Amino acid sequence: MKWWSEVVEYTKNASADGPQWLTAEEQLVWRSYLHATTLLEDHLDRQLQRDAGMPHIYYGLLVKLAESPGRRLRMTELAMDAKITRSRLSHAVARLEKNGWVRREDCPSDRRGQFAVLTDQGLEVLRRAAPGHVALVRAALFDRLTPEQQKSLGEIMEIVAEGLQPNEAGADLPWLR
């Protein structure tokens, strides 16, 4: 971590108005967070690829559709729920369509809008994939934490998410790109 202390020292000398650098303890927390979330996402992705032939992002899209009334959502709402760009969603839905798991329908009230609809085949794939996915989430995360740690983690992630979710008009959000 020598390079880091050199960067911090350099910026202290360069300007009193420089960035507020992370402390050594904060740096450890940050890097632990990055390490854990990267490993967890990879772990989930590999399990779903192996057991269901889909990446984790596709599983999340199928879950969102399954939980929606009529198993359908407007594409813009699905992109917002998944926190991804419309372009990435369009690509993902095209792949899900190719598998027969999702179909697109035009929106009757808005000629430009489309719905993504979970098919019966997609629901069946989701039903088969869910038990293994839930078991992995439980083993990888919840079984490693006490109930108090689980509660704290939930509270912390809620605070972080709320702070990152801008409410102002014109915000640069993935689903608006």
Side-chain angles (χ1 to χ4, degrees), residues 1-12:
M1 218 150 67
K2 185 174 191 263
W3 74 270
W4 184 252
S5 57
E6 290 173 1
V7 168
V8 172
E9 211 39 53
Y10 170 79
T11 56
K12 280 182 189 174

Side-chain angles (χ1 to χ4, degrees), residues 63-85:
V63 167
K64 295 281 184 195
L65 291 172
E67 293 173 344
S68 299
R71 298 188 329 219
R72 74 179 50 231
L73 275 175
R74 284 190 62 132
M75 293 283 285
T76 52
E77 190 175 345
L78 187 55
M80 184 175 67
D81 286 349
K83 308 292 186 256
I84 60 176
T85 63

Side-chain angles (χ1 to χ4, degrees), residues 4 7 9-10 13 16 24 28-29 41 51 94 107 109 111 113 119 123 126 132 136 143 148 152-153 158-159:
W4 184 252
V7 168
E9 211 39 53
Y10 170 79
N13 295 333
L28 288 173
V29 170
E41 184 61 34
D51 296 350
C107 178
S109 62
R111 291 185 188 261
T119 65
L123 184 59
L126 187 57
L136 185 70
D143 290 350
E148 295 79 23
S152 293
L153 180 61
E158 191 172 310
I159 290 167

Side-chain angles (χ1 to χ4, degrees), residues 102-168:
V102 170
R103 71 174 181 276
R104 292 182 212 221
E105 293 180 355
D106 291 330
C107 178
S109 62
D110 177 5
R111 291 185 188 261
R112 295 181 307 154
Q114 283 191 317
F115 286 97
V117 182
L118 182 65
T119 65
D120 291 341
Q121 184 181 354
L123 184 59
E124 185 54 34
V125 165
L126 187 57
R127 283 184 180 138
R128 286 193 315 265
H133 177 68
V134 170
L136 185 70
V137 168
R138 178 163 301 288
L141 185 64
F142 292 100
D143 290 350
R144 298 172 188 271
L145 302 175
T146 66
E148 295 79 23
Q149 289 171 323
Q150 292 173 25
K151 183 177 184 212
S152 293
L153 180 61
E155 291 169 351
I156 290 165
M157 291 296 99
E158 191 172 310
I159 290 167
V160 171
E162 285 176 7
L164 293 172
Q165 179 70 46
N167 295 320
E168 67 272 2

Side-chain angles (χ1 to χ4, degrees), residues 22-41:
L22 299 179
T23 66
E25 294 81 19
E26 290 169 333
Q27 191 64 241
L28 288 173
V29 170
W30 174 242
R31 290 181 183 191
S32 293
Y33 167 81
L34 289 176
H35 187 71
T37 56
T38 300
L39 289 173
L40 180 59
E41 184 61 34

